[in-house]
Amino acid sequence: VALLFFVGCKQAKKVNNLEISKVQELAFTSFGDKISNEKVVTSKEMLLKFEDMIVGDTIHVKFASEIKEVCAAKGCWMKLPLAEEKEVMVRFKDYSFFMPLDAEGAVIVSGKAFVSETSVDDLKHYAEDAGATQAAIEAIVSPKKTYTFEAVGVLLAI
């Protein structure tokens, strides 16, 4: 009875619309270093970590989210949502691996999180890679505080 109580009352952590327990049950394709799907924080927990950081801070962490966008040119970066209006830019350590151009769905990323300021030139480059209109690219006129992640390994749900 006690076991049923603890199992029944356990609240599953959410990753966007996914539960961590559900993400851990998925089959994955691995990119980069081999990582596990254990000891993963949610995207909302990751946002709280980012909000406590300043430019120059770094933490090593593993979190889960869903792919919002992948570099359309060669898969060299992806954006993952943390909350409705917040996202993290994920690049891959030393460009040693890339994501499939059509990658979508749940991912677990492991690596180094930090806060940076992205220049206007870089923002325009990313917008161009993502296929933005010329008007949208020209509308970028100021740098942006960016939540950044350098992944050493990625698990992509299949």
Side-chain angles (χ1 to χ4, degrees), residues 32-70:
D33 292 352
K34 297 288 183 197
I35 64 171
S36 74
N37 61 349
E38 298 172 354
K39 297 182 182 175
V40 177
V41 300
T42 66
S43 55
K44 296 209 185 309
E45 290 170 322
M46 191 65 228
L47 176 59
L48 294 174
K49 291 178 185 297
F50 273 122
E51 288 175 342
D52 285 342
M53 298 170 68
I54 60 171
V55 173
D57 287 349
T58 301
I59 60 170
H60 294 274
V61 67
K62 187 178 352 174
F63 78 98
S65 189
E66 293 181 333
I67 295 175
K68 177 179 178 180
E69 187 177 351
V70 175

Side-chain angles (χ1 to χ4, degrees), residues 15-133:
V15 177
N16 300 330
N17 294 325
L18 301 173
E19 295 176 1
I20 285 286
S21 60
K22 298 289 186 209
V23 169
Q24 291 173 330
E25 294 172 6
L26 296 173
F28 293 96
T29 298
S30 180
F31 297 88
D33 292 352
K34 297 288 183 197
I35 64 171
S36 74
N37 61 349
E38 298 172 354
K39 297 182 182 175
V40 177
V41 300
T42 66
S43 55
K44 296 209 185 309
E45 290 170 322
M46 191 65 228
L47 176 59
L48 294 174
K49 291 178 185 297
F50 273 122
E51 288 175 342
D52 285 342
M53 298 170 68
I54 60 171
V55 173
D57 287 349
T58 301
I59 60 170
H60 294 274
V61 67
K62 187 178 352 174
F63 78 98
S65 189
E66 293 181 333
I67 295 175
K68 177 179 178 180
E69 187 177 351
V70 175
C71 170
K74 59 184 171 183
C76 58
W77 55 260
M78 65 182 169
K79 292 181 182 178
L80 306 178
L82 298 171
E84 285 186 33
E85 296 294 319
K86 303 284 184 169
E87 64 187 17
V88 58
M89 171 64 93
V90 179
R91 291 186 196 88
F92 311 109
K93 185 172 169 97
D94 300 326
Y95 286 97
S96 59
F97 63 97
F98 301 105
M99 296 301 292
L101 301 180
D102 61 350
E104 59 183 18
V107 290
I108 296 174
V109 293
S110 180
K112 180 174 62 173
F114 54 98
V115 176
S116 62
E117 188 171 273
T118 306
S119 71
V120 171
D121 287 343
D122 284 346
L123 290 170
K124 287 183 176 189
H125 175 78
Y126 299 144
E128 186 176 307
D129 282 353
T133 65

